Amino acid sequence: MRCIKELSLPELKEWLKENQEPAYRAEQIFHWLYSACVKGFDGMTNLSAPLREKLAGHFEISPLRLSNKLVSFIDNTEKYLLELPDQHTIESVVMPYPRRCTICISTQVGCRFHCVFCASGKKGLIRNLTQDEIVEQVILGKQEGHQITHIVFMGMGEPLDNLDNVIKAIGVFNSPDAFNIGARRMTISTCGIPSGIKKLMDLHLQIELSVSLHAASDELRSRLMPINKQYPLKTLMKELKEYILRTNRQVTFEYIMIDKLNSSDADALMLARLIKGMNCKVNLIPFNTTSVARDFKPPMASEIKRFQKTLTAEGVKNTLRDSRGADIQGACGQLSLSSR
């Protein structure tokens, strides 16, 4: 049975017309699906009983099942293990802050890019998530009692490797008839696929773009992120400079700090020189220990502080980001990996 959340508002209006129902009911159904986040058609109380029966006969309302939920005692981060109709699992993470609430969502089952520190790619790419499977992760976060204000596509998978469905989901999140979340409150994170970055340029979306960098030399980045062998830093930086020029938007570089690997003063200087003159900022993230990269560990606080100081002295905007949910397998893919 098809999930009703696969339908756009115009598609739902067309279905209603074909089934001798007034098209204006589509806005009401969208309200129940995305604002009220009802779990069944019976909850759509301003629809007639015959229409509710008709909807239930043609559609299911959710493609996901909450299989497990972990709550951090450290920072109240919540991690969800979600089961898909084909029994594969994905994860999403809700991170409450004092004045906002961010959800980190998945776009694929597994990942084809095999970054060495990431649990998501351990089992390779199994399949893309559909639009409704992406959207449902945010609905589930709302059903668990959270007022979601920000969405980051940083969970399992590579968003630019499933861009068509990601763009459809962004349309639902942004729509006043659905979630009404501003585009600038959504961030796509990528390992660096130039063709996908170019497509984002052409779409002129107001979303934020975040690039997983993690090293400022081709030698080290290729060790950490095999995609760098196909798209080395020179190629990636050229595309990002074009993106910044054409969109007039800032790019964020994600830089996971790993002790004795990429966190020295020399690494900081190399990073500053690589991105010099770009409209960008750097998110420094102390490594969040995973079962995949047991030999890696975060640098000492003093080394992180020194790295930050060097970047600042070189004129690079930077932020030290917390590693959330360390006590609940907060890094991408760990819970799903351990469940199989």
Side-chain angles (χ1 to χ4, degrees):
M1 190 177 289
R2 192 178 186 188
C3 179
I4 193 170
K5 297 184 182 97
E6 292 179 32
L7 302 183
S8 65
L9 191 63
E11 288 171 336
L12 183 55
K13 287 181 177 180
E14 187 61 33
W15 184 88
L16 288 165
K17 287 179 187 177
E18 291 172 359
N19 286 270
Q20 290 76 54
E21 297 287 348
Y24 74 85
R25 293 292 190 191
E27 281 87 356
Q28 294 175 323
I29 294 168
F30 258 50
H31 167 81
W32 287 114
L33 292 175
Y34 302 117
S35 295
C37 296
V38 294
K39 296 183 178 182
F41 293 110
D42 285 346
M44 300 181 178
T45 52
N46 61 350
L47 304 184
S48 68
L51 174 54
R52 280 180 275 166
E53 289 175 12
K54 200 178 290 185
L55 289 168
H58 283 82
F59 300 107
E60 64 177 356
I61 207 164
S62 174
L64 303 183
R65 182 180 72 85
L66 180 58
S67 177
N68 195 8
K69 173 181 173 179
L70 302 176
V71 182
S72 171
F73 291 106
I74 299 172
D75 52 31
N76 295 318
T77 293
E78 295 185 3
K79 185 160 192 173
Y80 309 135
L81 181 67
L82 308 171
E83 186 176 307
L84 301 163
D86 56 10
Q87 281 74 58
H88 290 301
T89 56
I90 58 170
E91 300 169 14
S92 56
V93 180
V94 174
M95 296 166 282
Y97 296 91
R99 286 182 289 276
R100 61 188 169 90
C101 185
T102 298
I103 186 167
C104 176
I105 60 176
S106 298
T107 55
Q108 296 178 310
V109 183
C111 181
R112 76 170 82 243
F113 294 104
H114 302 289
C115 298
V116 298
F117 46 74
C118 179
S120 296
K122 188 69 175 176
K123 53 188 176 183
L125 176 65
I126 295 171
R127 69 171 177 87
N128 288 333
L129 296 185
T130 59
Q131 168 204 313
D132 54 305
E133 289 169 340
I134 295 171
V135 168
E136 189 68 20
Q137 296 172 70
V138 179
I139 291 174
L140 192 137
K142 292 182 70 174
Q143 288 174 340
E144 290 296 307
H146 299 285
Q147 291 296 115
I148 305 295
T149 61
H150 293 71
I151 299 170
V152 293
F153 293 85
M154 294 184 183
M156 293 174 63
E158 164 56 56
L160 297 190
D161 197 35
N162 185 21
L163 190 54
D164 289 345
N165 285 321
V166 167
I167 295 304
K168 289 177 187 176
I170 287 173
V172 176
F173 296 142
N174 192 222
S175 170
D177 295 304
F179 291 93
N180 199 26
I181 295 175
R184 294 185 183 189
R185 293 188 172 191
M186 291 183 254
T187 299
I188 285 181
S189 177
T190 177
C191 63
I193 303 174
S195 59
I197 294 169
K198 186 180 186 307
K199 189 167 183 179
L200 283 180
M201 273 188 248
D202 296 337
L203 290 169
H204 301 290
L205 299 174
Q206 294 295 300
I207 58 164
E208 302 296 323
L209 178 64
S210 175
V211 179
S212 296
L213 193 59
H214 312 317
S217 72
D218 280 321
E219 187 276 327
L220 179 56
R221 191 167 191 265
S222 293
R223 281 171 53 199
L224 295 174
M225 304 177 68
I227 191 174
N228 194 75
K229 297 171 187 174
Q230 185 176 0
Y231 304 118
L233 287 169
K234 185 178 180 180
T235 302
L236 177 59
M237 292 301 150
K238 180 182 177 182
E239 201 65 45
L240 289 173
K241 287 173 182 176
E242 179 69 14
Y243 176 89
I244 292 167
L245 182 67
R246 284 183 50 189
T247 64
N248 197 31
R249 299 196 62 75
Q250 177 179 260
V251 167
T252 298
F253 290 107
E254 306 288 339
Y255 193 94
I256 293 177
M257 300 191 69
I258 304 168
D259 188 44
K260 294 181 175 58
L261 200 63
N262 66 352
S263 57
S264 69
D265 293 347
D267 291 315
L269 282 171
M270 199 184 311
L271 174 59
R273 288 166 187 157
L274 177 68
I275 62 178
K276 188 176 179 66
M278 296 176 68
N279 180 16
C280 66
K281 67 176 181 179
V282 177
N283 272 346
L284 299 172
I285 311 159
F287 180 72
N288 190 354
T289 303
T290 74
S291 57
V292 176
R294 294 182 185 276
D295 295 337
F296 291 172
K297 62 179 182 178
M300 294 177 62
S302 58
E303 188 172 2
I304 294 172
K305 199 170 291 185
R306 198 164 60 243
F307 194 100
Q308 260 197 299
K309 188 176 179 181
T310 300
L311 289 183
T312 302
E314 292 292 319
V316 176
K317 290 185 283 187
N318 63 87
T319 303
L320 180 60
R321 211 176 81 190
D322 293 336
S323 293
R324 305 271 302 191
D327 58 329
I328 56 166
Q329 300 176 300
C332 296
Q334 292 187 87
L335 190 56
S336 179
L337 192 63
S338 65
S339 74
R340 302 301 290 175

